[in-house]
Amino acid sequence: MAGRRLVMLLLAAAFLAAGAAGSKPSAKFELIHREQPSWDEVARMDQERTAFICSHARRRATEAAARGGKPRAKAKAAPADEAFAMPLSSGAYTGTGQYFVRFRVGTPARPFLLVADTGSDLTWVKCHRHDAPAHAPAPGYGYGAPASNDSSSSSLSAAAAAAAASSHERVFRPDRSRTWAAIPCSSDTCTASLPFSLAACPTPGSPCAYDYRYKDGSAARGTVGTDSATIALSGRAASKKQQRQAKLRGVVLGCTTSYTGESFLAADGVLSLGYSNISFASRAAARFGGRFSYCLVDHLAPRNATSYLTFGPNPAVSSSPPSKTDCGGGSPAAAAAAPGPSGARQTPLLLDHRMRPFYAVTVNGISVDGELLKIPRLVWDVEKGGGAILDSGTSLTVLVSPAYRAVVAALSKKLAGLPRVTMDPFDYCYNWTSPSTGEELAVFVPELTVHFAGSARLQPPAKSYVIDAAPGVKCIGLQEGDWPGVSVIGNILQQEHLWEFDLKNRRLRFKRSRCTQ
């Protein structure tokens, strides 16, 4: 997550099936961004998340070598032109660097505000269970669990307390959902598929319990089950009045009865967009064209600025699958270099077992004002302890030391004429105000370009890497990460771009967009 990195864990596999008929349906998840957190806090949480990503990649490689790959269960595919989407927006108005999605779950369906997280494989919601297991309550914030006297509760800000109170009103109650099915603790799903499930199993039919730990010290605890998510489908030529609802059945869902830390005060839980057998993204994408896409509005956009998280083909960036002739003789690089629709660019999507559930890409280099910087190639090589991922849950882009130093040296050289100021957590900040007029200076910001494999180039707007850090102050909005390690392209550098993750064809497509509709 932006700031409070939701680090992945558990969950079981279940099939997704759309439960509504209709010809040529399409639909949307609306992306929602929430008051600007302190940059010091954002940087701290991003660094902790990045440290987890690096340790996670090493652990994944070891585990995969020990047990070998397991076959994935496949859901029945929907017609090629089907899609659905959910509203998505920035969470800056709540003081976080995350993006939020509106998600409806249960029968009857209830709405929740979840963090859209490409680094999570567990979808969970704050939950109340009348039969919560005795071990579920823990110091922190409880739902259907005894309240705690933990001192961290007393240190909450008024805004955080208000967010917690608002979130408390939206707790999920599985006993009131006709489609909720608990996963037994004696099942193979619990014992073999959920690495973070608890060993406690009072009776074979007791619900499978979990303790989901995050790098920042936060934790979510509860039980695992499956339920239905409700989506709105509509035909291509249909009006909003003609939209129909459908059910995605068997969605793996964590029912969090207690949690610690302030990471989740502003949201009701997490929507897992990571690459995993049990994540919502992988299962929904498998049902709807093998792909999903999102467009992140400016992270400081007002609360009503909305874009969408879409599952299924997105005409703005989607292209046709490779032809049979391409499969035989065309190279992956050549396929990636093929131009997408409406100016979309594409590059291979690396679904590497060492990176899962994160999405990795091959970076060939970074340039500033057209000059390719001297960054060792091994920095971008997964085999050499490097690599790069896109992460919707990290705010500031984190570059490992060799890449970070080269980039900030090139950018700061171009900005050397501006007065330097000191502002944590950034290394390079500038007074961007005219001493004579008090107005913002009209300064040319050097162009930063990230070069991906397949000749695809990411050229973010200047505000995505020379960011507004305080009134009259701009900073180079990048963070230094440890080397060896993984570089992380955060959501601020991704903003105002439409991104499509084509899991079926292993392609990442992207193009500039204002994101609002």
Side-chain angles (χ1 to χ4, degrees), residues 308 470 487:
Y308 289 93
S487 294

Side-chain angles (χ1 to χ4, degrees), residues 72 145 160 273 355 418 505:
R72 289 186 68 182
L273 300 181
M355 294 294 188
L418 292 167
N505 298 301

Side-chain angles (χ1 to χ4, degrees), residues 20-93:
S23 61
K24 299 182 180 179
S26 63
K28 295 184 177 182
F29 277 84
E30 198 176 335
L31 277 179
I32 311 167
H33 192 98
R34 300 193 114 170
E35 298 307 88
Q36 172 66 23
S38 73
W39 286 114
D40 204 31
E41 175 74 355
V42 167
R44 182 180 68 83
M45 304 307 285
D46 284 348
Q47 289 284 3
E48 289 175 345
R49 179 181 180 88
T50 303
F52 171 83
I53 292 169
C54 294
S55 64
H56 177 76
R58 291 190 292 269
R59 189 179 74 246
R60 282 282 190 181
T62 302
E63 291 174 349
R67 69 171 182 269
K70 293 184 178 181
R72 289 186 68 182
K74 293 184 178 180
K76 181 181 178 182
D81 58 356
E82 279 194 354
F84 74 94
M86 298 179 283
L88 177 72
S89 64
S90 166
Y93 66 91

Side-chain angles (χ1 to χ4, degrees), residues 380-415:
W380 314 118
D381 191 341
V382 174
E383 301 290 341
K384 303 292 177 57
I389 64 169
L390 275 83
D391 184 18
S392 68
T394 299
S395 294
L396 297 169
T397 289
V398 180
L399 300 176
V400 294
S401 294
Y404 172 81
R405 292 171 184 172
V407 173
V408 296
L411 291 175
S412 62
K413 182 179 180 180
K414 301 283 185 176
L415 300 173

